[in-house]
Amino acid sequence: MDRYENMNAFVRVVEAGSISAAADRMDVAKSVVSRRLKELEEHLGVELFHRTTRQMNLTDSGRAFYQQSVRILADILEAEHATSQFHGALKGSLKVAVPLSFGLMHLGPAINEFLQTHPEIEFDLDFNDRHVDLLADGFDLAIRIASLPDSSLIARRLAPIQAVMCASPAYLERMGEPESPEALIKHRCLVYNLISNIDNWNIYDAAGQLIKTRITPYLKASNGEFLRDAAVDGLGIVLMPSFIVYQEIERGALVPLLTEYRYSQLAAYAIYPQTRHLSQRVRAFVDFLVKRFEGMPYWDRCLKNFKNIS
């Protein structure tokens, strides 16, 4: 039994959706692919698929084996490539989980720049603000905006992220500007709902003392850009990472509020599992991101023009 060929056939079937489609892509007979799947299942002693007359769905064992198989095949490809005549060039796939707003606004240009140097890397990006299980879902790494990295993962800090409270001039003209954190309870607050406590904002005074501030969520959403645009439209006050709102602040569409206070310290991290062998392509991409975002990010440098925002 050729374990490599059988594993490759299995992965192709999963990705193609059927044995027939996989056989067409591999340019082999359908019977060859079926035989390889049968040999693989007999060797493993488990069923990898739930088979019906119309479709094939992965079993739990099959799903776990698929994630590992993708990693193994990618590592084999990388090892072969590293010792071939193309030594030094990066090749293979990178499956990356990225937060939606940060990914669209700031990671896309970085990936385009990375691909100019490493054109044979293939990216598979999952834009989602919810945390994913890197091992179970087969990700090479994730980019996360967090106060602290998960202790079960290895994290490299890419850039500091500061939060800014702001509202539109129209809203402030209509409702007035809050003079203290306690005054926020009387205002309409636009709240990111993928946090544990959406009824409170953690605000710190100049001495670093926490002021747990009760707010009234007026509009809740799982996307920062949506909430930013709602604030621009005058719907309420928003507390957002600076990388989402800095352009609107620059052009006057949003006005920073309570700038003498500070908020939870966040950072952008590149995160990968401790048990994951760090491939050359993952290491190169993370090193690239660290260098690209080192120091004060450009979105925070822009806010230096505004009094008391640091």
Side-chain angles (χ1 to χ4, degrees):
M1 182 186 73
D2 189 324
R3 293 185 183 179
Y4 173 83
E5 291 297 337
N6 290 353
M7 185 182 293
N8 184 58
F10 165 67
V11 170
R12 293 292 191 93
V13 170
V14 174
E15 294 176 347
S18 70
I19 292 176
S20 297
D24 289 341
R25 293 184 184 183
M26 298 170 67
D27 196 24
V28 298
K30 179 180 176 181
S31 59
V32 173
V33 179
S34 295
R35 175 175 55 79
R36 289 176 179 170
L37 285 183
K38 182 179 179 181
E39 287 181 353
L40 184 61
E41 289 182 319
E42 289 177 350
H43 172 71
L44 296 173
V46 298
E47 288 189 348
L48 298 173
F49 292 98
H50 294 298
R51 294 171 172 84
T52 67
T53 56
R54 294 187 176 183
Q55 60 184 358
M56 298 174 62
N57 296 316
L58 285 170
T59 62
D60 290 342
S61 297
R63 188 173 297 105
F65 188 68
Y66 169 72
Q67 303 296 352
Q68 296 298 324
S69 296
V70 169
R71 295 176 186 275
I72 291 169
L73 293 174
D75 286 343
I76 290 174
L77 178 63
E78 181 179 347
E80 291 176 343
H81 192 76
T83 56
S84 72
Q85 59 180 325
F86 303 105
H87 178 71
L90 294 180
K91 186 175 183 179
S93 63
L94 279 175
K95 187 175 183 182
V96 187
V98 297
L100 182 59
S101 296
F102 185 80
L104 292 176
M105 298 177 69
H106 305 292
L107 196 62
I111 289 175
N112 289 338
E113 184 179 330
F114 182 77
L115 287 174
Q116 291 177 15
T117 306
H118 306 289
E120 294 189 82
I121 293 292
E122 299 175 359
F123 276 94
D124 181 359
L125 303 176
D126 184 337
F127 291 88
N128 197 320
D129 285 345
R130 291 175 173 82
H131 285 191
V132 297
D133 186 323
L134 299 187
L135 281 174
D137 296 329
F139 287 96
D140 292 291
L141 72 154
I143 308 300
R144 288 184 182 166
I145 309 298
S147 56
L148 287 174
D150 189 320
S151 60
S152 67
L153 301 168
I154 298 174
R156 286 190 64 185
R157 191 171 184 263
L158 302 180
I161 303 291
Q162 67 169 320
V164 181
M165 186 183 298
C166 47
S168 71
Y171 175 86
L172 297 175
E173 182 178 352
R174 186 174 73 251
M175 303 295 294
E177 182 173 338
E179 296 182 355
S180 68
E182 292 77 13
L184 289 171
I185 193 66
K186 300 177 181 179
H187 284 265
R188 293 178 173 179
C189 294
L190 315 180
V191 181
Y192 184 70
N193 64 10
L194 294 183
I195 57 177
S196 57
N197 189 347
I198 63 174
D199 296 321
N200 291 278
W201 281 345
N202 289 338
I203 301 175
Y204 298 84
D205 63 20
Q209 295 298 310
L210 173 63
I211 306 170
K212 203 169 187 66
T213 304
R214 186 78 175 174
I215 61 169
T216 303
Y218 176 67
L219 175 62
K220 295 172 283 188
S222 61
N223 179 256
E225 289 175 278
F226 175 85
L227 293 170
R228 175 202 64 196
D229 293 345
V232 170
D233 289 340
L235 295 186
I237 296 174
V238 70
L239 179 61
M240 277 287 116
S242 54
F243 68 81
I244 295 179
V245 297
Y246 79 98
Q247 291 176 322
E248 281 65 30
I249 291 175
E250 277 197 306
R251 65 185 181 88
L254 291 175
V255 177
L257 304 173
L258 299 176
T259 56
E260 64 272 29
Y261 295 90
R262 298 293 176 266
Y263 309 98
S264 297
Q265 295 299 306
L266 303 174
Y269 293 95
I271 297 177
Y272 44 92
Q274 291 181 347
T275 57
R276 174 73 171 105
H277 166 67
L278 195 61
S279 69
Q280 183 183 3
R281 59 189 180 278
V282 173
R283 188 183 304 277
F285 182 55
V286 172
D287 288 344
F288 168 81
L289 292 178
V290 169
K291 185 175 181 180
R292 192 177 195 277
F293 292 117
E294 66 184 350
M296 180 179 288
Y298 56 89
W299 56 80
D300 280 350
R301 289 199 297 270
C302 295
L303 295 181
K304 277 290 190 178
N305 296 326
F306 297 92
K307 184 180 179 181
N308 293 330
I309 294 182
S310 58

